[in-house]
Amino acid sequence: MDVAVGGQTSVGSPAPAGASGAARADGPDGDRGTPAHHAPAPPEPDLRRIPALDGVRALGIALVLVFHGGFSWAGGGFFGVDVFFVLSGFLITGLLVSEFGQNGGIGLVRFWGHRVRRLVPALLAVLCGIALYAWLLAPADTLGQLRGDAVATLVYLNNWHQAWGTQGYFAALNTPRPLLHTWSLSIEEQFYVVWPLVVLGLLRWGRSLRLLLTVTVLGALASAVAMVVVYGDGSGQSRAYYGTDTRAQALLIGAALAIVVAHPLPRRRAERTPATSLLRPIALSRTARAALVAVGGVALAAIVACSVATDAATAWIYRGGFTLVALATAGLIASVALVPTSPWARALSLRPVRYLGAISYGLYLWHWPVFVALDHDRTGLTGLPLFALRAGVSIGVAALSLRFLEMPVRRGLARGWRAWAVAPFAVVGTAALVAAAARLERYYSMNNCYPSSACGSPAATDSVSALSAAGIQGFSGESAAKACWPFDWAACSMAPT
């Protein structure tokens, strides 16, 4: 076939597509709205799908999982986040440009409302789970840090909270911080707030995709240079890794690809027609198709190679490595989108792969809290068996989240004024729950409200002392007493009234 089939998957930091696994358009899923400064728009089209893009998302989450699994051969698995960034930049920008070309404006309120419905419910569910973790499992000396992480996560500023913290990302992986991974969601949400304004402003002012492309490319270059400068001699690693300015390059590279393959903007209102694809029809010669297939293979190999051959201590990844992976991801997206019959597109379109991509948002949200809770001390497992347990539980929870929470909300639960009325209460209520659980747990620990009568036994004391002496993670000082759970109120020196 000589003409590419266009479409898109749903958007998010690792954002799932639909329950079916075939990538459903995130923007036109029945949501209605009014473009800014414009009359009510016709329903957005149900754009065609590129199933392989769910596979690209699956690649990203797989890299993150093996990286957080602690496998020595996956020291660069954190590049999976960059895969998500590029894909999100591509899809979001494609939707924005497509809507502007069709309606002459962008429904900002509708766009942001859709992001809220799409991303916030699952995040609030995770934060409720974190509140339970704080009450039952969290070491007492981490509760203050956990409260700060939770608040920063709720307001989507966790990347800056971590950037200016005392620990770097890779060092923090060795401490029980179940919200550490939400820094990437913060960057994407900041992008979702600012980028539509930039796109709308440039398109209204210049009425030219060329101007938008120029600004996007210059922004990506500036971001890549900023990472080099901020990283310096290595002392700025955390700031370079977490900064929105230094990580925006991946989002903007994806955005640039979307602009390159987008339909041209109509010159007059009468020329506006409903779009059926994010990709304009592109006639590809046999040579061009072969070249794109080769690009996809090289790009995929480059992503995997960087994920295997590098780690946190590899200095060059901050001096072009992140840019290289972002460009490789853009090449892979272009290859599978424009040549859907290529071997890479077929492999990434397999049903199990697509399903992993479909649950990837929930999987990304839940996997790290699950990994923190199901550690060696609580399971007695190590290596591959421990990873299999963690991954299996994470996938199960993510599947339930998609089926019973994310999809019902996206399909119409709490729309319109109800959504705007419920959202603040849900956010504030979740924040209060997390804070209350952490504060209550601190109260218990300060008043020796740890569990059963066995807590005071010589065996229990010796066990706690042995754990502390061995330096087992999370067992030090009074936090070691958590080995004595669950509660036995009669054993407390001070029971709450």
Side-chain angles (χ1 to χ4, degrees):
M1 180 165 131
D2 291 332
V3 178
V5 177
Q8 87 265 28
T9 60
S10 59
V11 184
S13 166
S20 65
R24 165 85 185 191
D26 188 35
D29 66 347
D31 191 18
R32 299 291 182 264
T34 303
H37 315 298
H38 219 272
E44 291 181 309
D46 184 6
L47 303 186
R48 298 181 205 172
R49 298 154 179 157
I50 305 175
L53 293 189
D54 269 340
V56 174
R57 189 173 284 114
L59 171 64
I61 192 62
L63 291 175
V64 171
L65 287 176
V66 295
F67 171 64
H68 284 161
F71 295 106
S72 60
W73 50 266
F78 49 81
F79 282 123
V81 172
D82 294 87
V83 172
F84 290 126
F85 282 169
V86 176
L87 187 55
S88 291
F90 172 76
L91 296 173
I92 281 290
T93 305
L95 287 171
L96 294 172
V97 171
S98 177
E99 181 176 351
F100 187 90
Q102 179 178 340
N103 302 325
I106 295 173
L108 295 175
V109 173
R110 177 179 47 76
F111 174 85
W112 288 323
H114 193 80
R115 302 281 82 68
V116 169
R117 290 197 310 276
R118 173 67 190 79
L119 302 174
V120 171
L123 177 64
L124 295 182
V126 168
L127 288 172
C128 289
I130 295 301
L132 185 63
Y133 165 84
W135 184 41
L136 296 176
L137 298 174
D141 55 3
T142 68
L143 293 175
Q145 187 180 67
L146 181 59
R147 283 195 296 270
D149 290 351
V151 172
T153 297
L154 266 176
V155 297
Y156 287 103
L157 291 173
N158 199 26
N159 64 311
W160 293 111
H161 173 66
Q162 305 296 344
W164 301 116
T166 57
Q167 279 186 309
Y169 174 73
F170 302 102
L173 288 173
N174 297 318
T175 62
R177 298 183 68 174
L179 291 173
L180 180 66
H181 65 312
T182 60
W183 67 270
S184 65
L185 305 180
S186 298
I187 289 179
E188 289 212 21
E189 280 300 307
Q190 293 160 30
F191 178 76
Y192 296 158
V193 170
V194 175
W195 188 239
L197 298 173
V198 174
V199 172
L200 179 61
L202 289 175
L203 291 182
R204 279 196 176 278
W205 179 51
R207 297 281 173 175
S208 168
L209 289 180
R210 183 173 299 178
L211 173 63
L212 179 60
L213 178 61
T214 300
V215 171
T216 303
V217 171
L218 290 176
L221 288 173
S223 177
V225 171
M227 176 171 278
V228 175
V229 173
V230 169
Y231 179 76
D233 60 359
S235 59
Q237 182 191 43
S238 291
R239 173 64 178 78
Y241 190 84
Y242 284 122
T244 305
D245 52 349
T246 53
R247 300 307 294 270
Q249 55 182 300
L251 289 156
L252 294 175
I253 286 172
L257 175 62
I259 297 166
V260 168
V261 299
H263 292 267
L265 296 178
R267 295 180 179 274
R268 294 183 295 274
R269 182 183 299 236
E271 296 177 357
R272 296 174 187 166
T273 57
T276 58
S277 170
L278 292 187
L279 311 180
R280 70 176 185 273
I282 302 175
L284 298 174
S285 66
R286 187 181 300 272
T287 300
R289 290 172 64 86
L292 276 171
V293 172
V295 166
V298 171
L300 183 58
I303 295 169
V304 174
C306 288
S307 301
V308 171
T310 66
D311 58 30
T314 307
W316 70 264
I317 64 175
Y318 298 92
R319 298 165 180 155
F322 283 100
T323 307
L324 173 63
V325 171
L327 290 171
T329 303
L332 179 61
I333 292 171
S335 176
V336 300
L338 295 171
V339 189
T341 57
S342 70
W344 331 117
R346 290 181 183 275
L348 293 171
S349 299
L350 293 173
R351 187 177 296 274
V353 179
R354 282 166 46 198
Y355 184 74
L356 187 64
I359 65 171
S360 61
Y361 177 60
L363 183 53
Y364 185 85
L365 277 175
W366 283 104
H367 86 278
W368 186 239
V370 169
F371 278 35
V372 169
L374 297 179
D375 59 6
H376 166 70
D377 301 314
R378 297 189 180 100
T379 65
L381 301 175
T382 59
L384 189 58
L386 178 59
F387 176 76
L389 174 64
R390 289 166 153 179
V393 172
S394 300
I395 290 171
V397 174
L400 292 174
S401 174
L402 179 67
R403 174 68 177 83
F404 295 106
L405 176 60
E406 298 169 57
M407 291 308 297
V409 171
R410 268 184 274 165
R411 285 171 175 164
L413 182 65
R415 282 186 180 272
W417 67 269
R418 295 179 182 85
W420 293 108
V422 169
F425 290 102
V427 171
V428 173
T430 303
L433 180 62
V434 173
R439 185 174 294 276
L440 183 64
E441 178 57 17
R442 173 69 71 179
Y443 176 85
Y444 293 153
S445 67
M446 290 177 63
N447 292 286
N448 297 317
C449 289
Y450 296 107
S452 59
S453 56
C455 285
S457 68
T461 302
D462 291 345
S463 175
V464 170
S465 299
L467 288 169
S468 299
I472 300 299
Q473 182 184 86
F475 287 87
S476 61
E478 68 177 10
S479 67
K482 288 194 175 294
C484 297
W485 287 73
F487 284 122
D488 178 358
W489 294 113
C492 293
S493 60
M494 287 182 62
T497 57

